[in-house]
Amino acid sequence: MTGGEIAALIAAIAFVILVIVIIVCCIMTLPKIVKTITATNEAIEKATAMIDETNVTIQSVTKDVNVLTIQVEDLLMKSNTLLADVNQKVETIDPLFTAVADLSTSVSDLNESSRNVASKVGIIGSNAAKASLATKLSRTAWKTFKK
């Protein structure tokens, strides 16, 4: 055997040993790879189930929101109708409040006038009392003087 043949033989044996080592490593890591793939598949199945459940929940919420939207629109329409009715009734009652305010002003003016008249009557009454007293004194004096 020549040196080239021995080198080729050594390279072939090294290659076979390398292939055997790679096969052994693959066989040793194969259970871990299978376990990882199984765990990944389970995680994907759980994620898929959660996504399906989320889709069902979203559909249910969407239906509920649609029903609520319709009810809110109906409530707003009724509120607008009620507000328009209240505004119309307030416009109808507004002249009444104006009349009551005018009547209140008139009553206040009447009270003030009554007070003025009462004070003037009081002054006139006091003057009348003085005049009456003066008249009595003058009659008494006249009677006394005539005698």
Side-chain angles (χ1 to χ4, degrees):
M1 275 208 187
T2 66
E5 290 175 347
I6 293 177
L9 184 63
I10 291 173
I13 292 172
F15 183 72
V16 169
I17 291 172
L18 179 65
V19 169
I20 290 172
V21 169
I22 290 175
I23 289 173
V24 169
C25 287
C26 286
I27 289 173
M28 289 175 56
T29 58
L30 187 62
K32 291 180 181 177
I33 293 173
V34 169
K35 186 176 178 182
T36 304
I37 290 173
T38 304
T40 304
N41 284 339
E42 289 174 2
I44 290 173
E45 288 174 5
K46 287 180 182 178
T48 303
M50 286 178 22
I51 289 172
D52 291 342
E53 187 176 331
T54 302
N55 284 337
V56 169
T57 302
I58 288 173
Q59 289 173 354
S60 174
V61 168
T62 302
K63 288 177 186 176
D64 291 345
V65 167
N66 288 339
V67 169
L68 285 174
T69 301
I70 291 169
Q71 290 176 352
V72 166
E73 287 177 358
D74 187 42
L75 182 62
L76 284 174
M77 288 174 39
K78 288 178 181 178
S79 296
N80 287 338
T81 302
L82 179 63
L83 185 60
D85 185 44
V86 167
N87 285 337
Q88 182 183 12
K89 288 179 180 174
V90 166
E91 288 176 7
T92 303
I93 295 174
D94 199 31
L96 173 66
F97 289 118
T98 304
V100 168
D102 291 345
L103 179 62
S104 174
T105 304
S106 297
V107 168
S108 294
D109 292 345
L110 180 62
N111 283 338
E112 187 178 337
S113 296
S114 297
R115 287 186 192 118
N116 290 339
V117 168
S119 77
K120 288 180 182 177
V121 167
I123 292 171
I124 291 172
S126 106
N127 288 341
K130 290 177 186 175
S132 173
L133 181 60
T135 304
K136 286 181 184 177
L137 285 174
S138 64
R139 281 187 193 161
T140 306
W142 181 256
K143 286 181 185 177
T144 310
F145 181 67
K146 270 185 160 180
K147 290 189 187 183

